[in-house]
């Protein structure tokens, strides 16, 4: 038993304690939207985030994701690329064009091995890319990177629309928002049997 205690002191704690311990550099209480057509991915990623004291919203498709993003203004979105109906690129384009959601950091996720996906993600407005399958350390490394770069600030919500229906942006803020051209998702060529 003394050997186990020595190992425990050397490594800090047992795995169950490490899972619930706060991660340095990762803000607590972030509202995070997980968008994936796979219920398993939504559940696994949601559990990882919830165990780290994050508040998780889940959407099974692109249309629901846009609706939730507009309504709840999450601090961060994990967005699958390959989904039936509205794919992740179309969702990304819609979110970046909307004044209420264009500021939200977005991490695209996909199991497709095509390097072109990562190119499109980086070029057309996503903040990061995460390949499936992923582990806890990768998920929290992405969040920590966004936090350290100043891109993820918990509690910073988009300006709400006023009674007149105009967004509350100053002229300088509005001019600083880039107009992002997105590829037409129908132009993307995926290999036969490409997975999400």
């Amino acid at each position: 038993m003394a050997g186990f205690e020595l190992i425990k002191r050397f490594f800090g704690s047992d795995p169950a304690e490490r899972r619930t311990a706060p991660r340095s550099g990762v803000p607590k209480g972030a509202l995070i939207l997980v968008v994936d057509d796979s219920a398993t991915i939504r559940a696994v990623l949601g559990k990882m985030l919830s165990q780290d004291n994050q508040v998780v919203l889940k959407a099974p498709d692109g249309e629901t994701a846009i609706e939730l993003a507009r309504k709840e203004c999450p601090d961060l979105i994990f967005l699958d690329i390959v989904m039936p109906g509205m794919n992740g690129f179309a969702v990304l384009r819609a979110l970046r064009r909307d004044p209420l959601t264009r500021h939200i950091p977005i991490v695209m996720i996909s199991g497709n091995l095509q390097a072109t996906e990562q190119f499109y993600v980086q070029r057309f407005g996503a903040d990061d890319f995460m390949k499936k399958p992923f582990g806890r350390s990768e998920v929290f490394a992405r969040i920590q990177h966004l936090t350290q770069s100043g891109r993820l600030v918990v509690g910073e919500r988009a300006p709400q629309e006023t009674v007149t229906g105009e967004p509350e942006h100053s002229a300088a803020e509005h001019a600083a928002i880039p107009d992002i051209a997105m590829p037409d998702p129908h132009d993307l060529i995926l290999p036969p049997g490409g997975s999400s």
Side-chain angles (χ1 to χ4, degrees):
M1 192 57 106
F4 179 71
E5 290 301 319
L6 178 63
I7 292 171
K8 188 175 175 181
R9 273 188 282 148
F10 183 76
F11 288 105
S13 62
D14 67 35
E17 289 173 359
R18 284 195 304 272
R19 277 195 291 272
T20 58
R23 286 159 179 76
S24 60
V26 176
K28 302 298 165 223
L31 181 60
I32 300 177
L33 174 58
V34 175
V35 185
D36 201 300
D37 58 321
S38 166
T40 302
I41 295 293
R42 289 193 311 271
V44 168
L45 187 52
K47 185 173 182 179
M48 286 180 190
L49 296 167
S50 296
Q51 287 177 339
D52 197 55
N53 299 318
Q54 311 302 341
V55 179
V56 180
L57 299 171
K58 298 174 188 174
D61 56 59
E63 293 82 2
T64 305
I66 293 170
E67 183 181 318
L68 276 172
R70 285 187 53 79
K71 181 180 176 190
E72 301 294 337
C73 267
D75 297 301
L76 173 63
I77 298 173
F78 282 95
L79 176 60
D80 188 23
I81 293 175
V82 181
M83 296 185 291
M86 184 178 228
N87 71 26
F89 289 123
V91 175
L92 176 64
R93 178 179 29 227
L95 293 173
R96 288 299 186 235
R97 288 182 175 170
D98 189 326
L100 292 176
T101 59
R102 66 174 28 152
H103 73 285
I104 301 170
I106 299 173
V107 176
M108 303 296 280
I109 54 178
S110 181
N112 193 314
L113 299 177
Q114 290 291 76
T116 54
E117 284 189 351
Q118 192 163 0
F119 167 78
Y120 281 118
V121 164
Q122 291 170 347
R123 184 169 175 201
F124 296 110
D127 295 278
D128 209 341
F129 176 83
M130 189 167 68
K131 185 175 158 278
K132 294 177 191 176
F134 48 81
R136 299 177 68 78
S137 60
E138 185 170 4
V139 170
F140 291 104
R142 303 289 182 210
I143 296 173
Q144 186 173 18
H145 171 74
L146 290 170
T147 303
Q148 289 173 344
S149 69
R151 192 68 185 102
L152 173 60
V153 181
V154 175
E156 188 173 280
R157 302 283 189 239
Q160 296 300 310
E161 290 189 5
T162 62
V163 176
T164 63
E166 293 297 316
E168 295 177 15
H169 290 288
S170 70
E173 287 175 324
H174 197 68
I177 299 171
D179 186 22
I180 300 169
M182 298 296 292
D184 185 334
H186 299 291
D187 292 341
L188 298 176
I189 300 172
L190 298 177
S195 63
S196 63

